[in-house]
Amino acid sequence: MILFILCFILFVIGLYGVIMQRNLIKIIIGFAIMEYSVILFLILIGYIDAATVPIISESFESGPFVDPLPQAMILTAIVIGLATKALLLSVAIRLYKKYGSFDIREMKNLRG
Amino acid sequence: MIDFQMLIIMPIVIGVVLFLLPDNLKIIKGVISLLISAYTAYLSVMVFSLPHQFIATLGSINWLYIPGFEKFMDLKVDGLSKLIVLFIGIFGFLYSLYSLSYNRRRAPNSEPNHIPGNYHTYYLITLGASFGVALTDNLLLFVFLWGLLGLTLYKLIKGHNEESSAAAKKTLVLIGASDSVLILGIGLLYICSHTFKISDIHLGTTTTLSTVAFLSLLIACMTKAGAFPFHTWIPDYTKDAPASISAYLPASLDKLLGIYFLARMCMSTFILSGWVTLLLLIIGALTIITSVLMALVQHNYKRLLGYCAVSQVGYMITGLALGTPLGIAGGLFHMVNHAIYKGGLFLTAGSVEKHTGKEELGELGGLCKYMPVTFAAALVFALSISGIPPLNGFYSKWMIYTGIIEFGSGKGIANQLWMIWLTLAMLGSSLTLASFVKLISGIYLGRKNEQIGTVKEVGFPMFFPQIFLAMLCIAFGIFAARWVIPEFFEFTGIGSWKSLPGLWNAPSVSIMILISIIVGFIIYWMGTLKTSRRSDSFVGGEKLQQELSFSSLEFYKTIGTMKFFNYFYDKANKKWFDVYHLGKECVLGLSSALSVCHTGILSTYVVWVVLGVATIMVLLII
Amino acid sequence: MNSLIPLYVVIPLGTAFLTIILGRWFKAISKILTIPALLFLTGLTFYLISQSPQTIVYRVGGFADLLDIPLAIFLVADGFTNILLLIISVVGLLVALYSLDYTKRFSAEEKFYALLNLMIAGMYGVVLAGDIFNLYVFLEIASIASYVLVAFNIEKQQLEATFKYQILGGVSSLLILAAIGFIYWTTGTLNLADIARQLPDANAFQIFVSVLLISGFGLKAAMVPFHSWLPDAHSSAPSPISAMLSGVLIKAIGIYVIIRLFFNIIQINPQIALTVTILGTLSMIIGVFLAIGQWDFKRLLAYHSISQMGYVILGIGMGMLILANGGKESIANLAITGGLFHMLNHSIFKALLFLNAGSVEYITGTRSLQKLGGLSNKMQITSGSSFAASMAISGIPPFNGFFSKIMIIFAAIQAGYYWLALLAVIVSIVTLASFTKVHKYAFYGDLPSKYENVKESPFSMALAMSLMALLCLIMSLMIVPSVRAIFLQPAVDALMQTTNYSSIVLGK
Amino acid sequence: MELYLIIMLALMILGSIYSLHAKDLLSAVVSYGIVGFALVISFLLLQAPDLAIVQVVVEIITLIIMIAVITNTTHETESKKLGLGAIFYSVSVLLFVTVALLFMSRFAFVLNSFGQHVTRMADNYVGSVAETGSANIITGIIFHFRAYDTLGEATVLFTAVIGVICILRHEELKAPDAVKIDVIQTMPKGMTLVVKNICQFLAPVIFLFGAYVAIHGHLSPGGGFTGGVIMASAFIFQILAGGSVLDKLRKEKWRLELSESVAIFSFLLLAVLGLLIASALVFFANFLPTGNIGELVSGGIIPIGNVIIGIEVCAAISSIFVALLIYKDEELG
């Protein structure tokens, strides 16, 4: 259970970063950390004691395997995460050009 | 047997067809609209001859038949709705005729007229929807058509400048709000009675639910008819809308329908309890007094007429609130009379406006020579609205006064206070007289203002409706006692006129009316006192008319400087008594408070999410 | 017929890919492909709806279930899905039509259409998904496409809006992913129907997952207090995109999933139902009060989206509450019908309003209401269609919004939630007030001298707006029982028979 | 085993705390990298080699992109603090943590504890993976049973790439080819000769390795995504080390964009072919013979899918990078 709690703490740190940081890049980092914690959480779920890598092989006895489904899901999630981060970074670099800084506090034209 | 469903269907369908025609066929559209309204007027006369309690359904028209929908399409003709249908038909035709000429381009030197686009479409849809409102026996169809009326009302005023678009906005907001409240009321009514059939509902206003339902419906009626405190759209609307539309909707149809529905509620749908009666009487009295006080100080004649239109609603509500046969009959009779003379007044105002291009009393004067017919009609209407015998306004007011006195003999708080209602009603009548002396003298008497160019009498299409309505006023007045009022009782099924013989000859009421007329002149004279002295020193031995024309201008200042009134006028100018304005202030205040919270900072937003999740968790953990 | 279901995803995706491949050589390819593709899908949707209401279950890859446990990813199209398919197709088609002229001023036009198609494909994928992870993936497609489209013109405000939108959208995606993890933890399955069977009865765990899902999808649906991204994103985006976001996206990836999950998958639960209803009510009120104070045309509309979605959620949440508390089914039916009807209506009139705002902005170059005025004579189609949409959203007859509004209010009254009915009425009044404000400042009043020579917007924009205004009227017909039976009733039935979903989908 | 994981998690927590508190953005990014690599090791410990390979390469690429962004903009972080707001924010987060932990403690006992996972759906996949002919169960799942998800995933990447290209496109450019940009800025000449030479030698090897991983995805750890990311890294190294001219980069970007879309389109075609060829009109039918487990030519369409996705991912990630470089030249240079 401690693993899950640590995972949750990692999530909270990421969240805290997103909330408290003023710098766009650091907000993105905080967001990425949140994402890591969720990814890790799913893999932790799928782990089974004394199970092997889910690859069928003739050389050694196959199974029991760890749950392959979360791994398949996470493979997708990692790619999605990469896509999101790339997009965020490209927006950040554009924002830097427009505002001359990475400070999110200055970006409040849209309010009210 | 006639297809009186066509009353509803045909104007709406033709209206939509006209919408599809190109806009530059204005005259053709006008003629089509006139023909349709003539046909519906004919149909409405036919409906008038139908037997009582006639039931039909809209769904009986083939192409409109929708399976499973018939029950929402019930129509029912009874005495009350017949009466309303007849007058809607007449007004629809007259005003359509009037519009033909009124909508044409004016004299080149005057301002462009502000006739909204697709005028005839909305005119006809209004007509059909009004017939529908009067005839339907299903609350859902009722609310649908009722809402449609609000929509056309909005589209029939052209927001050509800041002021008129503000008026349009205010109108739609108030009417739309009352429609929403109406929906709430109908929902509550359904809970109480488990039916949408109007004629099947008979509820006491004893439980909270039914009282709230009644109040919701009441608000809808009051807004539509224009009673205090929901009346504020009417003066704004009448000031900026075309005169034909002011006559058509706020002065005639909206009054007819609003009071019609109120009458239906008071007569059959609800059994009023003492408190509700008291509430209605207070509303009635307040409406009479506040609006007529406002009317006194207006210098735009269309606005003045708007305020007077509101004031008269007070009489109708008072009459209906009494709950006695005499009171209800008086209220309904007053409704009809009012629709006639107030519609007529707007028509005459429209004629004046079309030919002079002026809307301020101070810029006009002495038109009686140039527009004699209009002047004569206006005079009849003005005398009628002020309750001068033997015109129709006198008789309906008289019935209401008698009703109040009769009502006073009953037990209950509202009954005990009958003196107050009577006094206020009579005071209102006096003030109405005062304001109309001002109107007539301001426009028609006195010396002609040089700024106005040549003025001609209006053409036949405008001239005929005015005369016709004036004749109606006179006819209703002359034949009131012998024929109109007894028929009225018969028709609406309130009771028998002959059962109340003792009241007709009550001399006390006649004396009261006389007193109120005298008081009215005194008030007007008091108002002119100061200024005539000043104008004396200015013009010397000129004619009396000139003093009058001057004093009508200065009237506002005189009344306005009286200490007691001064306070209220001041507040009224700041819109303290305007429900719309108050609501607007509240909503905008709340809005800006919420808006401040949206700081535009991402961190805050994320914190909201976090707090939101936490709050939901806390709520669910318990 | 079943095999036509994948086309919903294949066709927009194929269009998007082809657009990028060929776009460099054939400039017009994006337009030539997009309109017929969406037209075809619209036709297909009507065909699906016209068939007798039955649930179509499509197993991607054709793998049969093993030991009663699904193996393939399911695509499920039942009555409720059909409604969403209808919304996406029709609004998508009309917005694409509108864009034909609107995007002429854009650079990288073909990418705009590619992204639009991707977003549409993502939304189709979400509403068709019968598998929670597949739903997540397609949700991401739709979201990421929308992130980009919001900032398509790379203006300062757009970038700012998209950054906030992305961070909050990302947080919501993570919440959803975590919820999927939790669900997988206990049930060991991803198939929605299977989850419905496996998920334990109401307990703390189920509620926790519900909280994650409510907040995750609530963020996508912009329910208060998760709404803060919406006004920024929807007002900054190019107008056709605002129309798609407000008209379709928040419904397809937000409201739809919430309704589907809490009716059919997670056992109906009074606490959750109450929470959803409260959130709906809050959104309804706060949204409208924020809206009325706005001076930015599109921002005002954006806040109304929050409010109107609150209306939808209110109707459906009440239905859920009544069902969960064992109240009268007929009232629940009315409430859900009202909610779904309003959702359908909102997609049309809100999309139309955004298109109107876009048209005004296209012609005058501003969307500040204070700088506009008197356009009703100059831009008759825009002002007329905007009038229809405004009256529809304010619930004035004979437009469609009136009927759905009346249904929701009546349902609230009949169920005994008088206060909710009162709030709904107040919201409808304030809505009306704010749209009369729009009309007063944008279309009525004095025409500023610099707009003396403006003309109506180009043909395709005007056509799309007129069609939508017509739809605002025509959709009123859905109140007619026979029409309702075709369009709305299957959806309501699918929701009302809460537990039937899994048995129908799994075939027993 | 659990202990190692705890250590890794602790490392991740420390790394993330430092990363969020570092004054300099570069060190923040680098310590963020530590978090990512700790995650890779955790994956290895958790018997997920596929993920570990993908994660390590994705991590490197993310770091490269981040560093590229930072070097083109600023290292500085804002020194201003949040003031009173910070207290409110902290309290809210604390509240959230407390409530969430309280809530979770209420149902924690009903969940399977770590390592005691009970599979349900996955049993079926493991049981029937033999029919796919794929030795790697994960590849079997993502290209056979859940190939539809993979289509979605590839589309997400495609969308993001189109998005990045859109957002980083030249602002003044109103129509893509109408205006010729006058900024003909050259890339830096690349790195030193030694690095260049080594890269020239290494890049093809890395590329080949990536291709190998992609092609053998159904047999060994890795697959289309993994292989694609590795191939992309080879490409990126070459550009970084060798340097390139803007015009050439533009052509490169277009080529990458094209190959990416062609690849993903052919993946879609592969899926639709199933719809057309398979008798039952099945979307994503594996219509090719599946062969025997362990052979290279087995698994039906799985290897084809792997290769296509490999190309798509490679092109996608490379074009993100190239788009960044072009942006740097056009807007900043």
Side-chain angles (χ1 to χ4, degrees), chain B residues 66-69 122 140 143-144 147-148 151 154-155 157-162 165-166 168-169 172-173 176-177 179-181 183-184 186-188 190-191 196 209 587-588 590-591 594-595 598 600-602 605-606 608-609 612-613 616-617 619-620 622, chain C residues 160 163-164 167-168 207-208 211 214-215 219 225-228 232 271-272 275 279 286 289-290 292-293 303 377 387 391 396-399 402-403 405-406 409-410 413-414 418 421-422 425 428-430 432-433 436-437 439-440 444-446 479-481:
Chain B
I66 302 161
F69 226 57
Y122 297 116
L140 291 178
V143 73
F144 176 78
L148 212 54
L151 186 79
Y154 178 68
K155 288 304 270 186
I157 179 170
K158 187 179 188 185
H160 54 88
N161 58 17
E162 177 71 30
S165 48
K169 178 184 173 210
L172 186 61
V173 171
D179 288 352
S180 300
V181 176
I183 291 173
L184 190 69
I186 287 175
L188 289 171
Y190 181 75
I191 287 289
F196 283 125
L209 275 190
V587 168
L588 287 184
L590 196 55
S591 175
L594 279 171
S595 173
H598 290 68
I601 295 169
L602 182 64
Y605 295 163
V606 182
W608 288 359
V609 172
V613 177
I616 297 174
M617 280 181 181
L619 280 179
L620 291 179
I622 298 164
Chain C
E160 181 190 336
F163 192 83
K164 291 173 185 169
I167 292 289
L168 287 166
I207 289 177
F208 182 75
V211 172
I214 288 180
S215 20
L219 253 166
F226 310 122
H227 64 287
S228 42
D232 297 356
Q271 279 177 299
I272 300 294
T275 313
L279 284 184
I286 292 182
F289 277 111
L290 277 163
I292 196 169
Y303 273 121
N377 291 332
F387 174 73
M391 291 304 105
I396 301 284
F399 297 101
F402 170 74
F403 298 102
K405 184 183 88 172
I406 211 172
I409 293 175
F410 277 11
I413 292 174
Q414 286 187 31
Y418 302 116
L422 183 67
V425 164
S428 119
I429 294 171
V430 182
L432 177 64
T436 48
K437 168 179 167 180
H439 271 257
K440 181 186 165 196
Y444 291 163
D446 301 311
I479 196 77
V480 174

Side-chain angles (χ1 to χ4, degrees), chain A residues 4 18 24 27 31 34-35 38 41-42 45 67 69-70 73 76 80 84 87-88 91 94-95 98-99 104 107-112, chain C residues 133 137 140 144 148 154 156-157 159-164 166-167 170-171 174 177-178 180-182 184-185 190 232 236 294 299 303:
Chain A
F4 292 111
V18 171
L24 291 187
I27 288 175
F31 177 67
M34 282 165 84
E35 197 181 300
V38 175
F41 167 64
L42 261 81
I45 287 171
D67 194 341
L69 199 47
M73 279 152 65
T76 310
I80 292 175
T84 323
L87 201 57
L88 270 172
V91 172
R94 268 279 176 203
L95 275 171
K98 303 268 181 191
Y99 285 88
I104 189 82
M107 297 165 196
K108 47 181 185 181
N109 284 335
L110 298 164
R111 59 164 172 238
Chain C
F133 189 71
V137 172
E140 284 293 310
I144 291 182
V148 183
I154 35 179
K156 200 171 177 179
Q157 288 195 346
L159 289 165
E160 181 190 336
T162 199
F163 192 83
K164 291 173 185 169
Q166 275 191 60
I167 292 289
V171 169
L174 290 182
L177 194 58
I180 293 174
F182 274 106
Y184 188 77
W185 199 351
L190 292 173
D232 297 356
S236 308
Q294 300 300 323
R299 204 170 170 81
Y303 273 121

Side-chain angles (χ1 to χ4, degrees), chain A residues 18-37:
Chain A
V18 171
I19 292 175
M20 299 297 269
Q21 294 300 327
R22 304 168 67 108
N23 190 295
L24 291 187
I25 302 292
K26 285 202 170 179
I27 288 175
I28 295 171
I29 290 176
F31 177 67
I33 289 168
M34 282 165 84
E35 197 181 300
Y36 283 169
S37 78

Side-chain angles (χ1 to χ4, degrees), chain B residues 510-576:
Chain B
S510 305
I511 294 169
M512 282 174 201
I513 299 261
L514 213 59
I515 292 173
S516 75
I517 293 169
I518 295 164
V519 170
F521 275 110
I522 291 174
I523 291 172
Y524 183 75
W525 175 71
M526 273 166 54
T528 58
L529 216 59
K530 277 185 196 167
T531 47
S532 22
R533 229 182 285 131
R534 204 174 59 193
S535 56
D536 270 347
S537 63
F538 175 58
V539 282
E542 279 287 340
K543 278 176 267 177
L544 179 72
Q545 284 160 344
Q546 191 169 14
E547 282 162 29
L548 271 175
S549 90
F550 241 89
S551 55
S552 65
L553 255 183
E554 297 293 329
F555 197 81
Y556 165 71
K557 285 179 186 160
T558 317
I559 290 263
T561 45
M562 289 182 196
K563 256 191 188 161
F564 175 72
F565 292 113
N566 189 20
Y567 179 75
F568 288 103
Y569 282 127
D570 201 34
K571 296 291 175 269
N573 278 342
K574 287 178 188 163
K575 296 184 177 170
W576 272 35

